[in-house]
Amino acid sequence: MSSAVVIGAPGEHELVAHTPREPGAGEALVRVHAVGICGSDREVYQGNRPEGYVRYPLTPGHEWSGVVEAVGSGVPESLVGRKVVGEGFRNCQVCDRCHAGETTLCTDGYEETGFTQPGAMAATLTLPARLLHALPDDADLTAAALLEPAACIAAAALKANARPGERVAVVGTGTLGMFAVQFLRAGSPSELLVVGTRPDRAELSKTFGATDFRTRDQELPDDFDVVIETAGSASAANTAASLLRRGGRLVLTGIPAPGADGLDPTDLVVRQLEVHTVFGAPPDAWAHTVRVFGAGLLDPLPLVTHELPLEEFPQAIELVGSGDPAVGKVLLKP
């Protein structure tokens, strides 16, 4: 019997029998191969996700990969059997932001797979086929389960617009930071510095293409062209800004706790820093991610440290919040 995780309320979950929902018009039914867990899933379980960004009861799971089993009317039959990943934001497609390609800014309100709509911690997932991105036939579906966080960093890389030969840096050494290193490396920088709080990530950073690694208590440069911040703290954002030359480009992807001290606006103006932010991934970032992954320039597998069955959801949540440096990306296998 197939099953699904259901969080009925904060701190309450159960494993229930799962019946696949047949795809309606414009939809596809996907057999889930693997689903990743991140800090936002832990927020959903603990009940501290911001109001309006979760709806209980809920099957979580927004980072996933799988194979299309069936499609509804209006969807090409050729999609059946394809390996896929999928966007999470259920945008309206008709507002001005959606027409501009900025689907994560949809003005019709927030709806996202795994937060307000059923997610992938189940045997199957039925969703609008327009959200799917087909993968190469030989794609590793375990690795592909990490393409959602990778797409968020692809959005940052596209906004950073790093040019070949520029000096680039990443602040943060978690999953997002290691993806940022890989995306920036693909752009042929002259230098690629990684700054973090964990010296144990130095070797992995250099494996992915970093030319230098430093902790935040070491002496840091102040003349880089581009910096992507992924750590999600106010101090990391300030460190990232301090690395830039005058006129440099900063992209913030981490989300600090509410009320955190921000960047100094005087510093931003006087140094004419160009600041961008990212929340989620629009379609162009997803397409970019799938292309880079298909070209072999993105390697998520070294970031995976644990693969557990769906029944061990509580253990997986504990691993994600353990703070153990030996815990990287945790996947559930329905």
Side-chain angles (χ1 to χ4, degrees):
M1 180 181 71
S2 61
S3 56
V5 171
V6 174
I7 299 175
E12 300 176 7
H13 88 281
E14 58 181 335
L15 203 66
V16 303
H18 172 74
T19 300
R21 181 173 71 79
E22 290 301 312
E27 293 185 321
L29 169 67
V30 177
R31 175 68 56 178
V32 177
H33 173 81
V35 54
I37 298 180
C38 79
S40 55
D41 296 303
R42 187 173 167 82
E43 289 177 354
V44 168
Y45 183 62
Q46 293 179 328
N48 49 18
R49 187 162 171 83
E51 185 178 356
Y53 289 86
V54 64
R55 187 181 301 130
Y56 302 101
L58 173 72
T59 293
H62 61 287
E63 306 176 3
W64 58 270
S65 63
V67 177
V68 177
E69 282 201 345
V71 295
S73 61
V75 180
E77 285 287 339
S78 59
L79 200 58
V80 175
R82 293 297 304 271
K83 296 177 178 180
V84 294
V85 290
E87 299 175 33
F89 283 82
R90 305 291 187 92
N91 55 296
C92 75
Q93 302 184 82
V94 297
C95 72
D96 63 339
R97 292 302 86 205
C98 285
H99 280 304
E102 298 176 338
T103 55
T104 60
L105 299 177
C106 177
T107 61
D108 194 44
Y110 172 78
E111 295 286 345
E112 186 175 3
T113 300
F115 296 108
T116 64
Q117 297 289 331
M121 290 188 193
T124 68
L125 174 64
T126 301
L127 74 169
R130 62 183 174 79
L131 299 176
L132 297 179
H133 289 261
L135 301 170
D137 292 339
D138 61 351
D140 184 321
L141 281 176
T142 299
L146 276 68
L147 292 189
E148 192 277 341
C152 295
I153 293 302
L158 291 172
K159 288 189 175 185
N161 191 29
R163 303 173 185 91
E166 287 193 312
R167 304 175 70 220
V168 302
V170 174
V171 175
T173 57
T175 298
L176 298 183
M178 294 301 94
F179 278 136
V181 172
Q182 295 183 64
F183 276 111
L184 289 174
R185 177 58 184 159
S188 301
S190 61
E191 295 180 49
L192 203 174
L193 168 68
V194 174
V195 178
T197 59
R198 290 177 49 184
D200 62 296
R201 295 294 254 185
E203 183 177 347
L204 184 60
S205 298
K206 292 180 179 179
T207 298
F208 285 142
T211 58
D212 191 11
F213 181 96
R214 302 188 196 185
T215 54
R216 283 197 242 168
D217 56 356
Q218 292 179 289
E219 183 178 354
L220 298 175
D222 61 1
D223 55 356
F224 274 61
D225 300 294
V226 169
V227 180
I228 295 179
E229 176 276 325
T230 68
S233 69
S235 61
N238 280 294
T239 296
S242 73
L243 292 170
L244 287 165
R245 62 166 172 80
R246 290 172 61 88
R249 306 188 296 284
L250 172 63
V251 186
L252 304 174
T253 70
I255 303 177
D261 292 333
L263 299 174
D264 181 356
T266 300
D267 180 59
L268 298 181
V269 173
V270 170
R271 292 205 289 140
Q272 298 183 61
L273 299 184
E274 184 179 322
V275 181
H276 298 272
T277 61
V278 167
F279 176 65
D284 64 339
W286 272 96
H288 183 59
T289 300
V290 170
R291 283 194 302 269
V292 173
F293 178 65
L297 299 174
L298 192 66
D299 185 10
L301 276 181
L303 301 174
V304 178
T305 59
H306 294 77
E307 298 180 43
L308 305 174
L310 203 62
E311 292 76 12
E312 295 185 25
F313 169 76
Q315 295 92 319
I317 287 289
E318 287 302 313
L319 281 170
V320 170
S322 68
D324 185 344
V327 177
K329 197 64 184 179
V330 179
L331 300 182
L332 293 177
K333 293 289 192 71

